[in-house]
Amino acid sequence: MRVEQIAVFLENKSGRLAEITGILAENEINIRALSVADTADFGILRLIVNKVDLARKVLKENGFTVGKTNVIAVEVPDQAGGLAGVLKTVETEGLNVEYMYAFVNKTGENAVLIFRFDEMDKAIQSLQKAGLTLLSGEQVCAL
Amino acid sequence: MNMMRVEEIETLPRTGLESIQLQRLQRLVHRVYETVAPYRVKMDAAGVKPDDIQSLADLKKLPFTTKDDLRDNYPFGLFTVPMDDVVRVHASSGTTGKPTVVGYTRGDIEMWASVMARALSMAGVTKGDMIHNAYGYGLFTGGLGAHYGAEYLGATVIPVSGGNTKRQITIMRDFGSTVLLATPSYALNLADAMIDVGVHPEELKLRVGIHGAEPWSENMREEVERKLGIRAVDIYGLSEVIGPGVAMECLETDRGMHILEDHFLPEIVDPDTFEPLPYGESGELVFTTLTKEAFPIIRYRTKDLSRLIVEPCKCGRTLVRMEKVTGRTDDMLIIRGVNVFPSQVEHVLMGIKGVEPHYQIEVNREGNLDTMAVLVEVSDQVFSDEVKVLENLTKKIQVEIKDLLGVTCKVKLVEPRTIKRSEGKAQRVIDNRTL
């Protein structure tokens, strides 16, 4: 139950994000979710897209440093306390979150939480045991 | 007020000085040929024997010594005396990670102190002075070299070394320092810090500043003089020759530093053909030590560009003067008084797994201090989706550069292929300092 995510290195200079989204658009790649982690000197763009390998290839061809990693997508009802419930499980199971971000699906009924844990296998087991819904890559892109 | 000392040897007619130099050179060449295999091998290869040195003009028959020779014989291979007779070593950074090591006998330390004392005298320093020595103490020759010279002269030395600028100002005011020994950039840093702590230069007894170990311009000299209300003079030295005290500006000169020629024999050679050039022409400065015991050096190519002025100086000294160093024949940088070779940075980067050897060094002067930034391209191997991984990488590079070079730098990760690849040699250094 892993979802492939691509990460792109960004120097802090103007226009880089626009350039990346432009390249993806030209190649008809759809972005399902994204987040940017930024420091004083650089940023890391994380993307979940419908065509992971193509996205990686075209960005590389355009000179970007691109990495592929696995994340976990957890679906929760889009209502108050949705995220809190998941994080409670994360805490009681002693899982270490490297980072997370979220988006709401088109119907607006559910929210999807994207997690990067340091121990992915343990996290998958724990979250499933707690009865949470984990989505596959195809499911995320089909939303 | 104590009388300033001008040594008799400094005012000899040139012919008198040259005959002393020749005697010392002949003795030196015999000694290194007999005691140091690497010198003997090089001289044999060049087909020159010690007895071939019949005049100072014969100096050009001898092979040059370079930093590579020092590295090849690291650490003590070029010493001419047993280690039992070596009482001290100093080291400066080499081109590829190994430092350049130099050694001194008790006699060398005494000679060094005497030349440094003579250098201080040229700047009007006497035994009545209170010397604030802000050069770094340690492997670097600056601190201890200046210290021993000041003591030899009989002055009072404050071995304050570098750092803790506010305390330095307090000491300078309370102890009544009259002479400041510091890199020119640190002198300006002190001047600015004085404004911050509300100490006015008029509250100080400072009279003269002796500044060296890094390049500085006439503009910078004016700034030091104006901000600290002192005379600022230039000093030259390098550890391979001895350390500070190789050449020094007197108070009367219109240009150039007097070389302590009875101990250090200078030449200027064409940087391309290595042929000796006549007085007045610009080229690479080459030194032969005439009196050193543990680590004499023959025709050491300094890679510093300068010019020799033989016309007598207003001060009465007949010692030849070298003009302020105008540049380098190699890519060495001097950052806050520390020698930095781009190849050393490359050496560090190559040692870190996954880091590409595409880098650039950016040097700036912020306020009065030099800053160095190393730009490193982020390759697929080192890239991560986690911020902490990349931050650990920059920290690791920073720590390793600091360990090797002794210079704190900023490491900036950049996108691949953003560092310009020029045809042939990459431009490794962008030096934005206006010196």
Side-chain angles (χ1 to χ4, degrees):
Chain A
M1 275 310 188
R2 291 162 186 249
V3 177
E4 286 184 328
Q5 169 196 264
I6 60 170
V8 188
F9 179 78
L10 288 177
E11 248 177 85
N12 280 358
K13 47 185 187 187
S14 63
R16 297 307 272 161
L17 200 51
E19 203 175 321
I20 291 171
T21 50
I23 292 164
L24 296 179
E26 269 168 39
N27 290 279
E28 297 183 342
I29 296 163
N30 194 7
I31 302 170
R32 294 304 313 168
L34 71 79
S35 91
V36 180
D38 64 318
T39 70
D41 298 310
F42 62 87
I44 300 169
L45 171 69
R46 297 147 185 160
L47 294 163
I48 294 184
V49 295
N50 61 346
K51 298 168 194 166
V52 177
D53 292 327
L54 179 64
R56 199 169 165 207
K57 181 169 158 274
V58 294
L59 289 174
K60 274 193 152 191
E61 282 168 1
N62 280 278
F64 287 94
T65 301
V66 189
K68 190 162 86 168
T69 38
N70 289 319
V71 291
I72 294 172
V74 184
E75 193 177 41
V76 293
D78 182 24
Q79 60 189 45
L83 175 59
V86 178
L87 291 181
K88 184 91 189 116
T89 308
V90 167
E91 194 199 333
T92 47
E93 294 291 327
L95 300 173
N96 194 6
V97 181
E98 296 293 349
Y99 57 82
M100 69 152 295
Y101 53 103
F103 66 101
V104 175
N105 73 10
K106 282 180 209 151
T107 62
E109 285 168 13
N110 290 326
V112 179
L113 311 174
I114 306 291
F115 282 98
R116 172 87 152 92
F117 295 100
D118 60 350
E119 295 171 284
M120 292 293 277
D121 292 333
K122 181 183 165 197
I124 291 170
Q125 267 182 11
S126 307
L127 295 174
Q128 283 177 332
K129 203 175 69 194
L132 293 164
T133 313
L134 305 192
L135 302 180
S136 68
E138 294 82 55
Q139 285 172 307
V140 170
C141 290
L143 285 175
Chain B
M1 187 76 184
N2 295 285
M3 285 297 291
M4 268 195 267
R5 301 193 317 182
V6 176
E7 303 279 332
E8 197 192 328
I9 202 155
E10 296 179 2
T11 56
L12 285 181
R14 295 294 302 170
T15 48
L17 177 65
E18 283 163 8
S19 81
I20 293 171
Q21 289 176 320
L22 179 60
Q23 268 177 28
R24 290 179 172 179
L25 176 67
Q26 287 170 328
R27 215 160 41 211
L28 166 82
V29 174
H30 273 281
R31 191 159 60 85
V32 297
Y33 187 82
E34 283 149 25
T35 54
V36 189
Y39 273 116
R40 187 163 55 242
V41 168
K42 281 180 84 164
M43 282 173 62
D44 286 344
V48 55
K49 296 277 175 255
D51 285 335
D52 294 339
I53 307 304
Q54 292 300 321
S55 70
L56 287 180
D58 290 333
L59 181 62
K60 68 165 187 270
K61 294 176 180 168
L62 295 167
F64 291 105
T65 307
T66 65
K67 225 171 171 102
D68 287 342
D69 294 309
L70 271 62
R71 191 185 58 209
D72 293 346
N73 295 288
Y74 174 88
F76 309 135
L78 292 180
F79 289 11
T80 61
V81 298
M83 285 310 282
D84 273 4
D85 295 333
V86 174
V87 299
R88 195 194 304 165
V89 291
H90 278 285
S92 66
S93 56
T95 48
T96 55
K98 273 186 191 171
T100 300
V101 185
V102 296
Y104 305 79
T105 62
R106 200 172 295 285
D108 289 333
I109 296 285
E110 175 87 1
M111 181 274 279
W112 186 12
S114 76
V115 291
M116 185 63 208
R118 284 166 57 190
L120 290 168
S121 298
M122 290 183 194
V125 179
T126 69
K127 67 195 291 285
D129 275 302
M130 176 71 75
I131 298 184
H132 190 95
N133 186 14
Y135 285 114
Y137 282 66
L139 279 177
F140 171 56
T141 50
L144 284 165
H147 181 106
Y148 275 64
E151 282 190 355
Y152 189 92
L153 191 63
T156 310
V157 199
I158 312 169
V160 68
S161 196
N164 208 339
T165 305
K166 279 184 187 164
R167 191 185 65 178
Q168 297 224 4
I169 294 165
T170 308
I171 286 173
M172 224 185 267
R173 185 189 56 197
D174 297 351
F175 294 12
S177 308
T178 55
V179 179
L180 170 64
L181 300 184
T183 60
S185 55
Y186 192 64
L188 283 178
N189 204 30
L190 278 167
D192 287 351
M194 277 161 57
I195 297 169
D196 295 343
V197 298
V199 172
H200 194 273
E202 281 174 14
E203 296 173 55
L204 305 179
K205 292 188 179 156
L206 271 191
R207 185 180 84 242
V208 62
I210 297 169
H211 309 300
E214 66 184 20
W216 57 312
S217 60
E218 285 305 319
N219 287 344
M220 222 171 146
R221 187 206 299 266
E222 278 165 31
E223 202 182 340
V224 172
E225 294 191 332
R226 180 168 44 81
K227 286 185 167 170
L228 287 173
I230 57 173
R231 267 297 295 275
V233 294
D234 205 355
I235 185 167
Y236 178 85
L238 65 170
S239 65
E240 294 88 340
V241 174
I242 197 157
V246 175
M248 175 78 185
E249 225 168 35
C250 69
L251 293 177
E252 280 137 286
T253 184
D254 47 356
R255 65 198 166 116
M257 296 167 267
H258 289 288
I259 295 172
L260 283 286
E261 263 188 295
D262 44 326
H263 295 283
F264 314 114
L265 183 60
E267 294 171 86
I268 292 285
V269 301
D270 184 304
D272 299 316
T273 65
F274 307 120
E275 280 301 311
L277 295 173
Y279 287 128
E281 286 195 30
S282 179
E284 182 178 342
L285 192 54
V286 171
F287 276 106
T288 299
T289 64
L290 295 174
T291 52
K292 271 173 77 189
E293 294 169 350
F295 181 75
I297 203 158
I298 292 181
R299 302 195 84 199
Y300 182 66
R301 285 185 42 209
T302 64
K303 312 247 177 139
D304 283 331
L305 293 170
S306 182
R307 190 200 308 258
L308 295 178
I309 307 160
V310 77
E311 287 72 34
C313 180
K314 279 182 241 162
C315 71
R317 289 181 180 86
T318 50
L319 298 174
V320 84
R321 285 171 284 165
M322 58 174 274
E323 268 189 1
K324 198 181 253 307
V325 171
T326 52
R328 297 274 306 171
T329 63
D330 64 3
D331 55 1
M332 187 180 88
L333 292 162
I334 302 181
I335 315 273
R336 298 193 289 272
V338 180
N339 298 350
V340 172
F341 291 93
S343 56
Q344 293 172 305
V345 172
E346 184 166 321
H347 182 78
V348 167
L349 297 177
M350 297 287 272
I352 297 173
K353 203 170 164 265
V355 174
E356 303 263 354
H358 298 300
Y359 66 95
Q360 197 160 54
I361 298 168
E362 248 179 42
V363 187
N364 286 294
R365 181 155 285 170
E366 288 167 19
N368 303 311
L369 284 182
D370 297 337
T371 60
M372 179 170 98
V374 178
L375 276 57
V376 180
E377 288 187 359
V378 176
S379 65
D380 286 353
Q381 290 99 299
V382 297
F383 180 56
S384 163
D385 58 318
E386 293 177 44
V387 172
K388 74 171 181 209
V389 174
L390 293 184
E391 285 185 337
N392 286 344
L393 174 71
T394 59
K395 222 173 285 164
K396 185 178 164 69
I397 296 172
Q398 201 181 19
V399 167
E400 293 201 7
I401 288 177
K402 168 91 190 176
D403 284 351
L404 181 65
L405 299 177
V407 171
T408 304
C409 69
K410 186 178 159 62
V411 175
K412 219 175 125 191
L413 298 178
V414 298
E415 289 171 16
R417 279 172 291 277
T418 51
I419 293 170
K420 264 195 212 120
R421 271 68 158 163
S422 49
E423 283 152 39
K425 208 173 171 186
Q427 193 186 359
R428 291 298 185 207
V429 179
I430 309 271
D431 196 338
N432 295 318
R433 293 176 293 187
T434 44
L435 295 170

